[in-house]
């Protein structure tokens, strides 16, 4: 399935775009989605622990994606 | 659920936050302002930018409001966070919590800002003299440059 992944902050800067699309098999996990993101954005290759969100809530890397969720990946936060 | 939760592009208004939480049955109202500071880890900060995932920020803010309601018994919480460019001294975030009594208002306000800083998908980019850095957790990380796409 072809999935859009929203990127923020330094990850968005690295990708040069607010969203990128990755191709993953059915039953893929968020971790696998992130691996595909890193392949497309080589400067993120060393990012071992991004924060991942599904439908605007934090999600674990082991979560299986169905292809209908809003997926986002971003660095540790620094708001407030 | 009473409360005001917003990401704002432009100066924040403390009176708006206060107005959103005050009421005749609330005898205590606590506020917190976060301000852009002129130094960080020994470096002089000349300006900063806040970036956000705004739809998720507002969801997180509402969840924090629910936490304050559960723990401190008041649903009157306002959280405003500014995004975009700020100069030193400007307000980046306002939290206001009102309750019948001061203990809950003060504790609720403290809880809300701690949780906002831990959870909200918001990022600060600091500008120093001549360079800038993303703040990620407690680290300063140089900005990325978009490289050619991989396979």
């Amino acid at each position: 399935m072809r999935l859009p992944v929203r990127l923020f902050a330094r990850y968005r800067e690295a990708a040069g775009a607010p969203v990128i699309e990755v191709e993953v098999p059915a039953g893929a996990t968020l971790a696998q989605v992130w691996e595909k993101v890193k392949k497309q954005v080589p400067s993120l290759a060393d990012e071992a622990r991004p924060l991942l969100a599904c439908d605007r809530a934090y999600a674990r890397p082991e979560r299986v994606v169905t292809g209908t969720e809003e997926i986002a990946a971003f660095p540790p936060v620094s708001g407030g | 659920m009473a409360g005001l939760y917003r990401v704002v592009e432009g100066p924040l208004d403390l009176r708006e936050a206060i107005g959103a939480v005050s009421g005749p049955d609330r005898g205590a109202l606590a506020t917190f302002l976060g301000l852009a500071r002129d130094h960080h880890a020994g470096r002089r900060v000349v300006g900063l930018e806040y970036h956000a995932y705004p739809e998720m920020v507002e969801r997180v803010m509402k969840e924090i409001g629910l936490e304050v309601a559960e723990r401190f018994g008041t649903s009157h919480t306002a959280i405003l966070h500014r995004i975009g460019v700020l100069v030193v001294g400007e307000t980046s975030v306002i939290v206001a919590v009102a309750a019948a009594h001061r203990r809950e208002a003060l504790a609720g306000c403290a809880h809300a800002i701690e949780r906002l800083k831990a959870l909200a998908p918001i990022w600060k980019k600091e500008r120093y003299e001549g360079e800038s850095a993303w703040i990620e957790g407690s680290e300063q990380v140089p900005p990325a440059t978009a490289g050619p796409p991989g396979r």
Side-chain angles (χ1 to χ4, degrees):
Chain A
M1 8 174 223
R2 201 139 182 83
L3 299 182
V5 179
R6 295 185 73 175
L7 299 173
F8 293 92
R10 184 170 54 87
Y11 295 179
R12 177 181 287 199
E13 228 172 34
V19 183
I20 66 171
E21 286 208 333
V22 299
E23 182 72 46
V24 290
T29 62
L30 276 177
Q32 290 167 322
V33 170
W34 178 245
E35 287 303 312
K36 289 294 173 91
V37 171
K38 289 198 291 185
K39 280 209 174 68
Q40 271 183 243
V41 189
S43 59
L44 295 180
D46 291 336
E47 299 292 321
R49 294 178 51 93
L51 294 173
L52 301 168
C54 255
D55 292 332
R56 304 169 184 179
Y58 288 106
R60 300 158 89 90
E62 313 84 68
R63 176 167 167 166
V64 172
V65 296
T66 64
T68 58
E69 309 97 332
E70 176 171 307
I71 296 173
F74 42 81
V77 302
S78 55
Chain B
M1 145 123 205
L4 174 66
Y5 306 104
R6 217 184 293 143
V7 172
V8 179
E9 294 188 46
L12 301 181
D13 185 349
L14 178 58
R15 289 166 309 170
E16 183 187 5
I18 289 172
V21 301
S22 18
D25 58 329
R26 276 91 82 183
L29 197 160
T31 62
F32 171 84
L33 278 70
L35 307 144
R37 199 174 69 228
D38 65 1
H39 63 279
H40 181 191
R43 301 176 85 169
R44 184 161 163 260
V45 176
V46 301
L48 46 98
E49 297 165 22
Y50 280 99
H51 300 249
Y53 179 0
E55 301 91 341
M56 186 171 167
V57 171
E58 292 189 355
R59 181 184 166 151
V60 167
M61 286 177 172
K62 288 185 178 121
E63 287 170 359
I64 292 171
L66 287 173
E67 287 182 7
V68 171
E70 281 166 22
R71 290 174 190 230
F72 305 105
T74 174
S75 58
H76 304 284
T77 296
I79 307 175
L80 302 173
H81 202 297
R82 184 169 173 184
I83 55 173
V85 176
L86 277 70
V87 299
V88 166
E90 290 193 291
T91 300
S92 56
V93 60
I94 295 177
V95 176
V97 175
H101 303 289
R102 67 186 179 280
R103 180 163 58 161
E104 289 76 17
L106 286 164
C109 187
H111 178 83
I113 185 61
E114 294 302 328
R115 293 292 275 166
L116 186 75
K117 288 179 76 70
L119 298 172
I122 298 172
W123 301 271
K124 179 168 63 169
K125 192 181 200 184
E126 287 179 340
R127 273 188 307 107
Y128 314 108
E129 283 142 333
E131 50 180 6
S132 57
W134 289 102
I135 305 305
E136 296 181 359
S138 52
E139 302 195 0
Q140 296 171 334
V141 184
T145 46
R151 196 191 70 77

